[in-house]
Short mmCIF file of all heavy atoms in Angstrom, two decimals:
data_model
loop_
_atom_site.label_atom_id
_atom_site.label_comp_id
_atom_site.label_asym_id
_atom_site.label_seq_id
_atom_site.Cartn_x
_atom_site.Cartn_y
_atom_site.Cartn_z
N MET A 18 -7.93 2.87 7.62
CA MET A 18 -6.83 2.06 7.09
C MET A 18 -6.01 2.90 6.11
O MET A 18 -6.56 3.72 5.39
CB MET A 18 -7.41 0.83 6.39
CG MET A 18 -6.42 -0.26 6.14
SD MET A 18 -5.61 -0.91 7.61
CE MET A 18 -6.98 -1.56 8.57
N ASN A 19 -4.71 2.71 6.14
CA ASN A 19 -3.81 3.44 5.25
C ASN A 19 -2.97 2.44 4.46
O ASN A 19 -2.84 1.28 4.84
CB ASN A 19 -2.87 4.34 6.07
CG ASN A 19 -3.63 5.34 6.89
OD1 ASN A 19 -4.18 6.30 6.36
ND2 ASN A 19 -3.71 5.12 8.19
N VAL A 20 -2.38 2.91 3.38
CA VAL A 20 -1.56 2.03 2.54
C VAL A 20 -0.17 2.62 2.35
O VAL A 20 -0.02 3.82 2.12
CB VAL A 20 -2.24 1.77 1.17
CG1 VAL A 20 -2.48 3.06 0.41
CG2 VAL A 20 -1.39 0.80 0.34
N ASN A 21 0.84 1.77 2.47
CA ASN A 21 2.20 2.15 2.15
C ASN A 21 2.41 1.85 0.67
O ASN A 21 2.57 0.69 0.27
CB ASN A 21 3.20 1.35 3.01
CG ASN A 21 4.64 1.73 2.71
OD1 ASN A 21 4.97 2.23 1.63
ND2 ASN A 21 5.51 1.50 3.67
N LYS A 22 2.39 2.87 -0.17
CA LYS A 22 2.43 2.66 -1.62
C LYS A 22 3.78 2.16 -2.10
O LYS A 22 3.91 1.69 -3.22
CB LYS A 22 2.02 3.95 -2.35
CG LYS A 22 0.55 4.29 -2.09
CD LYS A 22 0.07 5.45 -2.93
CE LYS A 22 -1.41 5.72 -2.63
NZ LYS A 22 -1.96 6.81 -3.46
N GLU A 23 4.80 2.25 -1.26
CA GLU A 23 6.10 1.71 -1.66
C GLU A 23 6.12 0.19 -1.54
O GLU A 23 6.91 -0.48 -2.19
CB GLU A 23 7.21 2.33 -0.80
CG GLU A 23 7.40 3.81 -1.08
CD GLU A 23 8.54 4.41 -0.29
OE1 GLU A 23 9.26 3.67 0.42
OE2 GLU A 23 8.72 5.64 -0.37
N LEU A 24 5.25 -0.37 -0.69
CA LEU A 24 5.18 -1.82 -0.54
C LEU A 24 4.12 -2.45 -1.43
O LEU A 24 4.25 -3.59 -1.85
CB LEU A 24 4.88 -2.18 0.93
CG LEU A 24 5.97 -1.89 1.95
CD1 LEU A 24 5.48 -2.25 3.35
CD2 LEU A 24 7.24 -2.68 1.62
N CYS A 25 3.06 -1.72 -1.73
CA CYS A 25 1.93 -2.28 -2.47
C CYS A 25 2.32 -2.67 -3.89
O CYS A 25 2.93 -1.89 -4.61
CB CYS A 25 0.81 -1.25 -2.53
SG CYS A 25 -0.59 -1.80 -3.52
N MET A 26 1.97 -3.92 -4.27
CA MET A 26 2.26 -4.38 -5.63
C MET A 26 0.99 -4.50 -6.46
O MET A 26 0.97 -5.17 -7.49
CB MET A 26 2.99 -5.73 -5.58
CG MET A 26 2.22 -6.81 -4.84
SD MET A 26 3.12 -8.37 -4.86
CE MET A 26 1.97 -9.41 -3.94
N LEU A 27 -0.10 -3.85 -6.01
CA LEU A 27 -1.36 -3.76 -6.76
C LEU A 27 -1.95 -5.13 -7.08
O LEU A 27 -2.50 -5.34 -8.15
CB LEU A 27 -1.16 -2.95 -8.05
CG LEU A 27 -0.60 -1.53 -7.87
CD1 LEU A 27 -0.38 -0.88 -9.22
CD2 LEU A 27 -1.52 -0.69 -7.00
N CYS A 28 -1.87 -6.08 -6.14
CA CYS A 28 -2.34 -7.45 -6.40
C CYS A 28 -3.86 -7.57 -6.29
O CYS A 28 -4.43 -8.56 -6.71
CB CYS A 28 -1.68 -8.42 -5.43
SG CYS A 28 -2.24 -8.23 -3.72
N GLN A 29 -4.52 -6.59 -5.66
CA GLN A 29 -5.98 -6.53 -5.53
C GLN A 29 -6.57 -7.46 -4.47
O GLN A 29 -7.79 -7.57 -4.37
CB GLN A 29 -6.67 -6.78 -6.88
CG GLN A 29 -6.16 -5.87 -7.95
CD GLN A 29 -7.19 -5.51 -9.01
OE1 GLN A 29 -8.38 -5.64 -8.79
NE2 GLN A 29 -6.73 -5.04 -10.15
N THR A 30 -5.72 -8.16 -3.72
CA THR A 30 -6.24 -9.05 -2.69
C THR A 30 -7.07 -8.29 -1.67
O THR A 30 -8.15 -8.73 -1.26
CB THR A 30 -5.06 -9.76 -1.98
OG1 THR A 30 -4.34 -10.51 -2.93
CG2 THR A 30 -5.57 -10.69 -0.88
N CYS A 31 -6.60 -7.13 -1.29
CA CYS A 31 -7.31 -6.35 -0.26
C CYS A 31 -8.69 -5.92 -0.75
O CYS A 31 -9.68 -5.99 0.00
CB CYS A 31 -6.49 -5.14 0.13
SG CYS A 31 -5.99 -4.11 -1.27
N ALA A 32 -8.78 -5.51 -2.00
CA ALA A 32 -10.07 -5.09 -2.55
C ALA A 32 -11.04 -6.25 -2.57
O ALA A 32 -12.25 -6.08 -2.35
CB ALA A 32 -9.88 -4.52 -3.94
N ALA A 33 -10.52 -7.47 -2.82
CA ALA A 33 -11.38 -8.64 -2.89
C ALA A 33 -11.98 -8.99 -1.54
O ALA A 33 -13.09 -9.49 -1.47
CB ALA A 33 -10.59 -9.82 -3.45
N VAL A 34 -11.26 -8.74 -0.45
CA VAL A 34 -11.77 -9.13 0.87
C VAL A 34 -12.53 -8.01 1.56
O VAL A 34 -13.24 -8.25 2.54
CB VAL A 34 -10.64 -9.61 1.81
CG1 VAL A 34 -9.91 -10.81 1.20
CG2 VAL A 34 -9.67 -8.51 2.16
N CYS A 35 -12.43 -6.78 1.09
CA CYS A 35 -13.09 -5.66 1.78
C CYS A 35 -14.61 -5.78 1.68
O CYS A 35 -15.17 -5.79 0.59
CB CYS A 35 -12.66 -4.33 1.18
SG CYS A 35 -13.48 -2.93 1.97
N PRO A 36 -15.31 -5.87 2.83
CA PRO A 36 -16.77 -6.01 2.81
C PRO A 36 -17.49 -4.71 2.49
O PRO A 36 -18.69 -4.72 2.22
CB PRO A 36 -17.09 -6.47 4.24
CG PRO A 36 -15.99 -5.90 5.07
CD PRO A 36 -14.76 -5.90 4.18
N SER A 37 -16.77 -3.60 2.49
CA SER A 37 -17.40 -2.30 2.29
C SER A 37 -17.12 -1.70 0.92
O SER A 37 -17.59 -0.60 0.62
CB SER A 37 -16.92 -1.32 3.36
OG SER A 37 -17.21 -1.82 4.64
N GLY A 38 -16.37 -2.40 0.08
CA GLY A 38 -16.02 -1.85 -1.23
C GLY A 38 -15.25 -0.55 -1.10
O GLY A 38 -15.39 0.35 -1.91
N ALA A 39 -14.40 -0.47 -0.07
CA ALA A 39 -13.72 0.78 0.23
C ALA A 39 -12.37 0.92 -0.45
O ALA A 39 -11.72 1.95 -0.30
CB ALA A 39 -13.55 0.92 1.74
N ILE A 40 -11.94 -0.12 -1.18
CA ILE A 40 -10.60 -0.09 -1.77
C ILE A 40 -10.67 -0.10 -3.29
O ILE A 40 -11.34 -0.94 -3.88
CB ILE A 40 -9.75 -1.29 -1.29
CG1 ILE A 40 -9.65 -1.28 0.24
CG2 ILE A 40 -8.36 -1.25 -1.93
CD1 ILE A 40 -8.83 -2.42 0.81
N GLU A 41 -10.01 0.86 -3.91
CA GLU A 41 -9.86 0.89 -5.36
C GLU A 41 -8.38 0.72 -5.66
O GLU A 41 -7.56 1.53 -5.25
CB GLU A 41 -10.38 2.22 -5.92
CG GLU A 41 -11.89 2.35 -5.76
CD GLU A 41 -12.41 3.66 -6.31
OE1 GLU A 41 -11.61 4.50 -6.75
OE2 GLU A 41 -13.64 3.83 -6.29
N VAL A 42 -8.04 -0.35 -6.37
CA VAL A 42 -6.64 -0.72 -6.50
C VAL A 42 -5.92 -0.03 -7.65
O VAL A 42 -4.71 0.05 -7.65
CB VAL A 42 -6.48 -2.26 -6.58
CG1 VAL A 42 -5.06 -2.68 -6.92
CG2 VAL A 42 -6.89 -2.87 -5.25
N THR A 43 -6.62 0.55 -8.62
CA THR A 43 -5.93 1.15 -9.76
C THR A 43 -4.86 2.14 -9.32
O THR A 43 -3.75 2.14 -9.81
CB THR A 43 -6.92 1.84 -10.72
OG1 THR A 43 -7.88 2.53 -9.95
CG2 THR A 43 -7.57 0.83 -11.62
N GLU A 44 -5.21 2.99 -8.35
CA GLU A 44 -4.20 3.90 -7.80
C GLU A 44 -3.98 3.60 -6.32
O GLU A 44 -3.37 4.36 -5.60
CB GLU A 44 -4.65 5.35 -7.98
CG GLU A 44 -4.71 5.75 -9.44
CD GLU A 44 -5.06 7.20 -9.63
OE1 GLU A 44 -5.06 7.95 -8.64
OE2 GLU A 44 -5.36 7.59 -10.77
N MET A 45 -4.52 2.47 -5.87
CA MET A 45 -4.43 2.01 -4.50
C MET A 45 -4.87 3.09 -3.50
O MET A 45 -4.08 3.57 -2.69
CB MET A 45 -3.02 1.50 -4.17
CG MET A 45 -3.00 0.64 -2.90
SD MET A 45 -4.28 -0.62 -2.85
CE MET A 45 -4.89 -0.39 -1.18
N ASP A 46 -6.13 3.43 -3.61
CA ASP A 46 -6.72 4.35 -2.66
C ASP A 46 -7.74 3.61 -1.80
O ASP A 46 -8.42 2.71 -2.28
CB ASP A 46 -7.44 5.48 -3.38
CG ASP A 46 -6.46 6.55 -3.84
OD1 ASP A 46 -5.46 6.77 -3.13
OD2 ASP A 46 -6.70 7.14 -4.89
N ILE A 47 -7.82 3.98 -0.56
CA ILE A 47 -8.86 3.45 0.33
C ILE A 47 -9.82 4.58 0.65
O ILE A 47 -9.40 5.65 1.10
CB ILE A 47 -8.25 2.86 1.63
CG1 ILE A 47 -7.41 1.63 1.27
CG2 ILE A 47 -9.35 2.50 2.61
CD1 ILE A 47 -6.64 1.05 2.44
N ILE A 48 -11.10 4.35 0.36
CA ILE A 48 -12.10 5.37 0.58
C ILE A 48 -12.44 5.38 2.08
O ILE A 48 -13.15 4.51 2.59
CB ILE A 48 -13.35 5.08 -0.27
CG1 ILE A 48 -12.96 5.02 -1.75
CG2 ILE A 48 -14.43 6.13 -0.01
CD1 ILE A 48 -14.01 4.40 -2.65
N LEU A 49 -11.88 6.35 2.78
CA LEU A 49 -11.94 6.33 4.23
C LEU A 49 -13.35 6.44 4.76
O LEU A 49 -13.66 5.92 5.84
CB LEU A 49 -11.06 7.44 4.80
CG LEU A 49 -9.56 7.24 4.55
CD1 LEU A 49 -8.77 8.43 5.08
CD2 LEU A 49 -9.06 5.97 5.20
N THR A 50 -14.25 7.07 4.03
CA THR A 50 -15.62 7.20 4.51
C THR A 50 -16.34 5.87 4.50
O THR A 50 -17.33 5.69 5.20
CB THR A 50 -16.40 8.21 3.64
OG1 THR A 50 -16.23 7.87 2.28
CG2 THR A 50 -15.91 9.63 3.90
N LYS A 51 -15.85 4.91 3.69
CA LYS A 51 -16.48 3.59 3.64
C LYS A 51 -15.78 2.58 4.53
O LYS A 51 -16.33 1.54 4.85
CB LYS A 51 -16.47 3.06 2.20
CG LYS A 51 -17.39 3.81 1.24
CD LYS A 51 -17.38 3.10 -0.10
CE LYS A 51 -18.26 3.81 -1.12
NZ LYS A 51 -18.24 3.09 -2.43
N CYS A 52 -14.55 2.88 4.92
CA CYS A 52 -13.75 1.93 5.70
C CYS A 52 -14.24 1.90 7.14
O CYS A 52 -14.35 2.94 7.78
CB CYS A 52 -12.29 2.36 5.65
SG CYS A 52 -11.19 1.33 6.64
N THR A 53 -14.50 0.68 7.66
CA THR A 53 -15.15 0.59 8.99
C THR A 53 -14.30 0.92 10.22
O THR A 53 -14.89 1.47 11.16
CB THR A 53 -15.77 -0.81 9.12
OG1 THR A 53 -14.89 -1.81 8.69
CG2 THR A 53 -17.07 -0.86 8.38
N PRO A 54 -13.05 0.67 10.40
CA PRO A 54 -12.13 -0.22 9.69
C PRO A 54 -12.08 -1.59 10.35
O PRO A 54 -11.78 -1.70 11.53
CB PRO A 54 -10.79 0.49 9.87
CG PRO A 54 -10.90 1.17 11.21
CD PRO A 54 -12.38 1.42 11.45
N CYS A 55 -12.33 -2.61 9.58
CA CYS A 55 -12.45 -3.97 10.13
C CYS A 55 -11.11 -4.70 10.20
O CYS A 55 -10.97 -5.67 10.92
CB CYS A 55 -13.43 -4.77 9.29
SG CYS A 55 -12.85 -5.06 7.60
N GLY A 56 -10.13 -4.27 9.41
CA GLY A 56 -8.80 -4.88 9.47
C GLY A 56 -8.61 -6.08 8.57
O GLY A 56 -7.52 -6.65 8.51
N LEU A 57 -9.66 -6.51 7.86
CA LEU A 57 -9.54 -7.69 7.00
C LEU A 57 -8.48 -7.50 5.92
O LEU A 57 -7.71 -8.41 5.63
CB LEU A 57 -10.89 -7.99 6.33
CG LEU A 57 -11.95 -8.67 7.18
CD1 LEU A 57 -13.24 -8.80 6.39
CD2 LEU A 57 -11.46 -10.03 7.66
N CYS A 58 -8.43 -6.32 5.33
CA CYS A 58 -7.48 -6.09 4.23
C CYS A 58 -6.05 -6.18 4.73
O CYS A 58 -5.20 -6.75 4.05
CB CYS A 58 -7.74 -4.73 3.59
SG CYS A 58 -7.69 -3.36 4.76
N ALA A 59 -5.79 -5.64 5.91
CA ALA A 59 -4.43 -5.66 6.44
C ALA A 59 -3.97 -7.10 6.70
O ALA A 59 -2.82 -7.45 6.45
CB ALA A 59 -4.35 -4.84 7.72
N ARG A 60 -4.89 -7.94 7.17
CA ARG A 60 -4.53 -9.35 7.41
C ARG A 60 -4.34 -10.10 6.10
O ARG A 60 -3.58 -11.07 6.05
CB ARG A 60 -5.60 -10.02 8.27
CG ARG A 60 -5.58 -9.56 9.72
CD ARG A 60 -6.25 -10.56 10.65
NE ARG A 60 -7.69 -10.63 10.45
CZ ARG A 60 -8.56 -9.78 10.98
NH1 ARG A 60 -8.12 -8.79 11.75
NH2 ARG A 60 -9.84 -9.90 10.77
N ALA A 61 -5.02 -9.69 5.04
CA ALA A 61 -4.95 -10.40 3.77
C ALA A 61 -3.77 -9.95 2.91
O ALA A 61 -3.35 -10.69 2.02
CB ALA A 61 -6.25 -10.20 2.99
N CYS A 62 -3.23 -8.78 3.15
CA CYS A 62 -2.18 -8.24 2.27
C CYS A 62 -0.88 -9.02 2.39
O CYS A 62 -0.31 -9.11 3.48
CB CYS A 62 -1.92 -6.77 2.61
SG CYS A 62 -0.58 -6.06 1.63
N PRO A 63 -0.39 -9.59 1.28
CA PRO A 63 0.84 -10.38 1.33
C PRO A 63 2.10 -9.53 1.53
O PRO A 63 3.16 -10.05 1.86
CB PRO A 63 0.86 -11.07 -0.03
CG PRO A 63 0.11 -10.16 -0.93
CD PRO A 63 -0.97 -9.56 -0.06
N MET A 64 1.98 -8.21 1.33
CA MET A 64 3.13 -7.34 1.44
C MET A 64 3.17 -6.57 2.77
O MET A 64 4.10 -5.82 3.02
CB MET A 64 3.12 -6.32 0.28
CG MET A 64 3.15 -6.95 -1.10
SD MET A 64 4.60 -8.01 -1.34
CE MET A 64 5.87 -6.75 -1.42
N GLY A 65 2.14 -6.73 3.59
CA GLY A 65 2.10 -5.96 4.83
C GLY A 65 2.02 -4.47 4.57
O GLY A 65 2.55 -3.67 5.34
N ALA A 66 1.34 -4.10 3.48
CA ALA A 66 1.34 -2.70 3.06
C ALA A 66 0.22 -1.87 3.68
O ALA A 66 0.19 -0.66 3.51
CB ALA A 66 1.23 -2.63 1.53
N LEU A 67 -0.69 -2.52 4.41
CA LEU A 67 -1.83 -1.80 4.98
C LEU A 67 -1.66 -1.69 6.49
O LEU A 67 -1.28 -2.63 7.16
CB LEU A 67 -3.12 -2.55 4.64
CG LEU A 67 -3.42 -2.59 3.13
CD1 LEU A 67 -4.45 -3.67 2.83
CD2 LEU A 67 -3.91 -1.24 2.65
N TYR A 68 -1.95 -0.50 7.00
CA TYR A 68 -1.77 -0.27 8.43
C TYR A 68 -2.79 0.76 8.91
O TYR A 68 -3.30 1.56 8.14
CB TYR A 68 -0.36 0.24 8.71
CG TYR A 68 -0.03 1.54 8.01
CD1 TYR A 68 -0.15 2.75 8.68
CD2 TYR A 68 0.37 1.56 6.68
CE1 TYR A 68 0.13 3.95 8.04
CE2 TYR A 68 0.65 2.73 6.03
CZ TYR A 68 0.53 3.93 6.71
OH TYR A 68 0.79 5.12 6.08
N GLU A 69 -3.11 0.70 10.22
CA GLU A 69 -4.08 1.65 10.78
C GLU A 69 -3.37 2.91 11.23
O GLU A 69 -2.23 2.89 11.61
CB GLU A 69 -4.81 1.01 11.96
CG GLU A 69 -5.90 0.06 11.51
CD GLU A 69 -6.84 -0.28 12.65
OE1 GLU A 69 -7.52 0.63 13.16
OE2 GLU A 69 -6.90 -1.45 13.02
S1 LIG B 15 -10.30 -2.13 7.08
FE1 LIG B 15 -12.05 -3.34 6.33
S2 LIG B 15 -13.51 -1.82 5.54
FE2 LIG B 15 -11.51 -0.80 5.73
S3 LIG B 15 -10.58 -0.98 3.71
FE3 LIG B 15 -9.84 -2.72 4.97
S4 LIG B 15 -11.26 -4.43 4.52
FE4 LIG B 15 -12.24 -2.49 3.81
S1 LIG B 16 -3.32 -6.63 -0.80
FE1 LIG B 16 -1.55 -5.32 -0.29
S2 LIG B 16 -0.14 -5.48 -2.02
FE2 LIG B 16 -2.18 -6.22 -2.69
S3 LIG B 16 -3.17 -4.42 -3.62
FE3 LIG B 16 -3.78 -4.52 -1.44
S4 LIG B 16 -2.28 -3.21 -0.35
FE4 LIG B 16 -1.44 -3.68 -2.36
#
């Protein structure tokens, strides 16, 4: 999973739904080694900022 940092408003919704703890929102990084990728964060993001 990747993040478009121009769209991300750091709301933390994606980190809350990630079952793998793969998202750290302070600088909006996704830890790719932990990402399955299940797609839950992309569906939860209100800004459409997450993409595969
Ligand atoms: S795709 Fe799934 S595992 Fe990967 S960051 Fe998003 S919620 Fe977490
Ligand atoms: S849910 Fe979307 S807008 Fe919110 S922190 Fe995650 S990527 Fe950014």
Side-chain angles (χ1 to χ4, degrees):
M18 197 59 61
N19 300 287
V20 59
N21 181 336
K22 294 187 179 182
E23 292 183 5
L24 291 178
C25 176
M26 57 179 180
L27 304 177
C28 69
Q29 306 211 20
T30 300
C31 53
V34 301
C35 178
S37 302
I40 302 180
E41 293 180 356
V42 172
T43 41
E44 294 183 11
M45 197 48 226
D46 279 326
I47 294 174
I48 302 165
L49 293 177
T50 51
K51 291 185 181 180
C52 177
T53 45
C55 66
L57 282 176
C58 56
R60 288 201 291 277
C62 177
M64 300 302 289
L67 296 163
Y68 60 97
E69 282 195 64

